[in-house]
Amino acid sequence: MEMDHLAAALALAGVPARRSATAGAAFAAFESTHGQPLPRAVRDWYLLDRARTVLEPDGADLVLAAEQLGGPATYWWPADGDDWPPDLEEQEEREFDPVAAGLLPFLDENQGGYSLAVRLDGSADPPVLISWDGVRPDGWSVHAACFSEWVFTRVWDLPLLRGAGRLYGTVPDVGQSELAVLARRLTARPQTVSDSPLPGPPQVGHRFAGPGDRQRALLLSPYAVGGTWSVLLWAATDDLLVDLCGVVRSALAAPVGLTGAYRPDEVARRALERLAAGEVTR
């Protein structure tokens, strides 16, 4: 049975599905302004009263509110790194309507590193695009297959990328056969692709879960040519985390040393102590 990724994201976040008191009016205003409704998956998510805080619990990145979706945008032309016309002395600030360009921006990274938007292609659950040059008419690439999958991966990733309970390591390379082994021993979750802002291939996020997503492994391919893979592991208990370390270590051809977060929580600390003592479960 196909996963309901929005419901699964709520379950992972431990948040009840309460309706927003203001989203309906925002949806009506969007349709009146732009002559089209929001995609169904976007509407379904923004109908929740905690749609933004589930995606950004610490408020670091800017996740737009329902009332802000579809607003006008400004951008600098030409983009950094683009060729300038010979008679142009400085960048020009230009305005444009993202919706008219088939874009629905919904997130800006807190340091301006990237922006995310939904591609308005008429589908109920459209792809999510990423831009390293902010919200602008061009320069976007596909980041997630659809909005609902992106919501799920965003919530799924939070303890791995920001939590105190995760373990981190690097390996020189991860092959397709090794990824296939992980997919057999765990459950593959949706991938994301981030087109590289540096010379090199896009970075792919490969996700694998244990039962109930109480074990999570995120393997990130390198941005730059010659870079290493990142391996991030999280589990709900130290027993599960030690077990997950054993699964991942046995699947990878190269050894992976693991360290904790900057200030690891008790789960990560106990798991590291057990691993340092030579405990292996697989």
Side-chain angles (χ1 to χ4, degrees), residues 183-204:
R184 289 195 298 269
R185 297 184 181 179
L186 301 166
T187 300
R189 292 302 189 210
Q191 295 180 7
T192 50
V193 180
S194 297
D195 192 19
S196 178
L198 304 171
Q203 183 184 65
V204 181

Side-chain angles (χ1 to χ4, degrees), residues 66 118 138 248:
V118 166
D138 54 11
V248 172

Side-chain angles (χ1 to χ4, degrees), residues 27-40:
F27 299 160
F30 179 93
E31 186 167 354
S32 175
T33 299
H34 299 288
Q36 61 176 300
L38 287 164
R40 187 184 67 201

Side-chain angles (χ1 to χ4, degrees), residues 155-273:
V155 176
W156 197 93
D157 287 354
L158 284 172
L160 289 150
L161 298 178
R162 303 187 188 180
R166 54 92 164 174
L167 303 184
Y168 171 79
T170 60
V171 290
D173 193 22
V174 178
Q176 290 301 314
S177 61
E178 296 166 272
L179 294 172
V181 170
L182 287 171
R184 289 195 298 269
R185 297 184 181 179
L186 301 166
T187 300
R189 292 302 189 210
Q191 295 180 7
T192 50
V193 180
S194 297
D195 192 19
S196 178
L198 304 171
Q203 183 184 65
V204 181
H206 301 270
R207 296 171 177 84
F208 303 94
D213 291 282
R214 300 181 75 234
Q215 293 172 308
R216 304 178 201 176
L218 173 61
L219 278 68
L220 298 170
S221 64
Y223 272 131
V225 175
T228 57
W229 283 65
S230 296
V231 179
L232 298 102
L233 308 178
W234 174 90
T237 69
D238 56 304
D239 285 338
L240 291 172
L241 190 50
V242 170
D243 176 75
L244 180 61
C245 291
V247 172
V248 172
R249 281 175 161 175
S250 66
L252 300 181
V256 52
L258 294 166
T259 60
Y262 172 61
R263 292 180 178 174
D265 68 8
E266 283 300 301
V267 169
R269 184 185 61 77
R270 288 195 299 267
L272 284 171
E273 289 175 351

Side-chain angles (χ1 to χ4, degrees), residues 15-48:
V15 172
R18 289 194 294 263
R19 290 174 65 93
S20 165
T22 60
F27 299 160
F30 179 93
E31 186 167 354
S32 175
T33 299
H34 299 288
Q36 61 176 300
L38 287 164
R40 187 184 67 201
V42 178
R43 290 174 59 94
D44 287 350
W45 184 254
Y46 272 92
L47 274 173
L48 304 170

Side-chain angles (χ1 to χ4, degrees), residues 2-18 41 44-46 48 50-57 125 146-159 189-190 212-213 216 234:
E2 186 176 349
M3 176 184 286
D4 182 341
H5 288 100
L6 298 184
L10 280 184
L12 290 183
V15 172
R18 289 194 294 263
D44 287 350
W45 184 254
Y46 272 92
L48 304 170
R50 293 185 59 185
R52 297 172 71 193
T53 56
V54 168
L55 300 178
E56 193 50 68
D125 195 3
C146 58
F147 179 75
S148 64
E149 286 192 5
W150 177 83
V151 169
F152 176 81
T153 61
R154 177 74 170 188
V155 176
W156 197 93
D157 287 354
L158 284 172
R189 292 302 189 210
D213 291 282
R216 304 178 201 176
W234 174 90

